[in-house]
Amino acid sequence: MSVSDKEKDEIEKSSAPLMEHLIELRRRLIWSIGGFFVAFLVCFFFAKKLFNLLVVPFKWATKWAGLDPHKVELIYTAPQEFFFTQVKLAMFGGMVIAFPLIATQIYKFIAPGLYKNERNAFLPFLIASPVLFLMGASLVYFFFTPMVMWFFLAMQQAGTDDQVQISLLPKVSEYLSLIMTLIFSFGLVFQLPVVTSLMTRVGMLSSKALAEKRKWAIVIAFVVAAVLTPPDPMSQIGLAIPTILLYEVSIWAARLIERDQEKQRVAREKQAAAEEVAEKPADASST
């Protein structure tokens, strides 16, 4: 066999696993894209109802401000604006609905390369991630969006002889961008316990290090809140405080993980010692 033939055989042997991985990746991508496309179509079909559902916190805010919630009005200034707003809403809703399927496909793709204990450790975080995201989104919907809109409604000015009337008439695209930004920001921040727990489990972080960096974490929480949220103090403080609380939860979760790892280490040492003691009589009898 010539050298070129050997090289061809080596290329074929090395390319076979790669081709299997690419085929598997293609299958997972098809499932993920297909799931997102179906969810997008469903959300686009119900886009107006979904948008009316997102306007409910605005109605609550008008009620808090002492106004008539039945007279809530939003506008659009370009003919295509509301259509593209519905497309944007359908994409956002489709991604949220399809996220469990997409996360499952990612897990199924990487699971064969993990050990059994790694798969068992990774699976709870796969479940916790969408749950925490929904908790953050619920906090935005039921509390922070009404609070932020109430803050903006309080800036309205009644028309008198000395001053003009200034009324809040938000555009549909801008209102959707506001609530989507808040949902994304809070949903992202609520992943903090998941990220820190994973890093603690693999040994990249420790509860002691998290506790020592608490002061820096508080500063970073306010900086991140200023970047992710609209430029008003209500939403910035509203995001920073849950971030700090979640950081404390992350420290507590890291301590639980370290305690569990320590128990497993002690159990392994006891088992190894017991096996070593059991082997010694057998060695002595054989001699």
Side-chain angles (χ1 to χ4, degrees):
M1 183 180 293
S2 63
V3 177
S4 59
D5 292 335
K6 288 182 179 180
E7 291 176 352
K8 289 181 180 179
D9 289 341
E10 290 178 359
I11 292 173
E12 289 177 358
K13 290 178 181 179
S14 62
S15 64
L18 178 61
M19 289 302 299
E20 291 177 3
H21 287 309
L22 291 176
I23 292 171
E24 179 70 11
L25 178 61
R26 183 184 64 178
R27 182 162 70 247
R28 300 305 173 192
L29 285 174
I30 290 173
W31 274 100
S32 300
I33 296 173
F36 168 74
F37 184 70
V38 172
F40 168 80
L41 291 178
V42 173
C43 290
F44 185 76
F45 183 77
F46 295 103
K48 288 186 178 180
K49 292 184 178 180
L50 289 174
F51 191 85
N52 288 327
L53 186 64
L54 292 177
V55 175
V56 171
F58 189 14
K59 293 182 178 181
W60 294 340
T62 57
K63 190 174 182 180
W64 293 357
L67 304 174
D68 187 2
H70 300 290
K71 294 184 179 180
V72 172
E73 183 179 359
L74 287 87
I75 63 171
Y76 60 97
T77 57
Q80 74 279 7
E81 181 179 344
F82 189 46
F83 171 77
F84 285 113
T85 300
Q86 294 180 72
V87 172
K88 190 176 180 180
L89 176 60
M91 292 180 65
F92 184 76
M95 183 58 68
V96 172
I97 294 174
F99 177 78
L101 174 64
I102 296 172
T104 302
Q105 296 304 313
I106 294 173
Y107 174 75
K108 287 183 177 180
F109 179 72
I110 65 175
L114 301 175
Y115 294 107
K116 184 178 180 180
N117 60 339
E118 292 175 338
R119 291 197 297 269
N120 294 335
F122 187 79
L123 191 59
F125 297 107
L126 186 65
I127 299 172
S129 183
V131 172
L132 289 172
F133 184 88
L134 289 177
M135 289 175 61
S138 299
L139 190 63
V140 169
Y141 185 84
F142 291 104
F143 182 69
F144 281 104
T145 299
M147 183 180 66
V148 170
M149 295 308 298
W150 170 79
F151 176 80
F152 291 145
L153 284 167
M155 295 182 178
Q156 293 185 124
Q157 180 175 286
T160 61
D161 295 336
D162 298 330
Q163 57 187 18
V164 298
Q165 180 174 348
I166 301 176
S167 302
L168 175 63
L169 291 175
K171 296 172 63 177
V172 291
S173 59
E174 293 175 350
Y175 178 78
L176 180 64
S177 297
L178 171 65
I179 196 167
M180 282 175 56
T181 300
L182 289 173
I183 290 175
F184 176 76
S185 302
F186 277 77
L188 186 65
V189 166
F190 268 65
Q191 303 304 310
L192 183 61
V194 174
V195 175
T196 55
S197 298
L198 280 172
M199 295 178 70
T200 302
R201 190 172 289 276
V202 299
M204 296 177 64
L205 275 179
S206 65
S207 60
K208 183 180 179 180
L210 289 171
E212 291 175 350
K213 300 297 188 296
R214 184 183 280 110
K215 293 180 180 180
W216 287 102
I218 294 173
V219 175
I220 293 173
F222 279 95
V223 172
V224 171
V227 172
L228 293 180
T229 59
D232 66 277
M234 300 290 288
S235 57
Q236 292 176 4
I237 296 174
L239 179 59
I241 291 176
T243 304
I244 296 170
L245 294 177
L246 287 168
Y247 189 83
E248 296 297 328
V249 172
S250 301
I251 296 175
W252 175 75
R255 287 171 180 167
L256 289 180
I257 292 173
E258 290 173 347
R259 194 178 305 167
D260 182 63
Q261 289 177 339
E262 180 65 20
K263 288 181 180 179
Q264 292 179 3
R265 186 186 66 81
V266 172
R268 287 194 299 267
E269 289 179 354
K270 288 182 178 180
Q271 183 179 0
E275 292 176 353
E276 185 178 353
V277 171
E279 289 175 357
K280 284 182 179 180
D283 296 339
S285 61
S286 62
T287 54

